[in-house]
Amino acid sequence: TSRTAICPGSFDPLTLGHVDIIRRAARQFDRVIVAVLHNTGKAPLFTVPERLEFISATFADDPGVEADAFSGLLVAYARRRGATAIVRGIRAVSDFEYEFQMALMNRRLAPEVETVFLTPAEEYSYVSSRLIKEITALSGDVSGLVPEAVAGRLVEKFASSSE
Ligand code: COD
């Protein structure tokens, strides 16, 4: 039987830390759906279509990885897509408490969907979307930490917002 995993997140924007986890997941599952949360409460830097485009462009050569957007409960979305697993990356102890709480809550809501934690490559373990945005806003260089598709658009975004 074919196994589908969901890699859910904000991906605002996609970083090489995310890419590392998604590639690891793609080696363990037949299909990986990278699911971008449509969060009406947060003011994101990139629109959902922009974030989906970064994912599609980065995984263009990987037929096992697809990009999609979701809103509402993650486990309801996972059920709709027939996924058996939710994959999350753990960077440091600081990620653990939040991830552990979500995993147990999601299990209570949907016991058949297993949360799987993967560890990233060490060189990306300190990368976060929040720091990427902060550094770019302050004219720092984040090349080598985000995919090609993201690097150029990040600089453009901040150039246009400071005019
Ligand atoms: N190295 C490895 N992994 C990384 C790195 C890195 N450098 N950076 C990020 N990651 C991992 C994260 O740990 C995460 O697993 C994934 O990549 C995505 O990261 P983010 O920051 O984009 O995602 P979040 O934390 O904003 O995602 C939160 C969810 C969308 C999963 C959550 O809010 C959710 O499920 N919302 C839907 C509503 C719902 O169901 N709520 C109830 C939850 S119990």
Side-chain angles (χ1 to χ4, degrees):
T1 57
S2 151
R3 292 198 169 267
T4 300
I6 310 275
C7 287
S10 311
F11 303 107
D12 184 35
L14 185 71
T15 70
L16 290 186
H18 295 133
V19 172
D20 181 81
I21 293 294
I22 295 162
R23 287 203 196 289
R24 284 173 202 282
R27 288 198 285 271
Q28 304 299 326
F29 292 90
D30 302 298
R31 185 165 65 136
V32 170
I33 302 168
V34 183
V36 177
L37 176 66
H38 230 298
N39 190 344
T40 45
K42 259 191 186 170
L45 179 63
F46 291 103
T47 64
V48 169
E50 283 174 319
R51 286 180 266 161
L52 291 172
E53 178 51 35
F54 293 149
I55 298 161
S56 306
T58 304
F59 294 96
D61 298 330
D62 206 329
V65 177
E66 69 174 79
D68 192 19
F70 79 105
S71 53
L73 270 186
L74 172 59
V75 289
Y77 173 77
R79 275 180 171 158
R80 277 203 306 280
R81 299 302 312 264
T84 54
I86 292 168
V87 171
R88 299 284 292 172
I90 299 266
R91 286 166 289 190
V93 181
S94 53
D95 281 341
F96 182 79
E97 213 170 326
Y98 169 62
E99 294 296 338
F100 193 66
Q101 192 179 19
M102 268 204 311
L104 289 178
M105 189 59 88
N106 283 333
R107 175 178 287 162
R108 186 189 166 91
L109 296 169
E112 79 283 13
V113 181
E114 199 68 61
T115 297
V116 175
F117 295 115
L118 298 178
T119 40
E122 282 164 81
E123 65 259 44
Y124 302 127
S125 62
Y126 59 92
V127 180
S128 71
S129 298
R130 184 181 64 80
L131 286 180
I132 293 295
K133 287 181 278 194
E134 184 173 318
I135 292 162
T136 311
L138 300 170
S139 306
D141 179 18
V142 296
S143 56
L145 300 179
V146 294
E148 288 290 315
V150 176
R153 290 287 292 117
L154 253 177
V155 173
E156 275 173 39
K157 215 26 145 191
F158 283 104
S160 61
S161 67
S162 64
E163 268 165 17

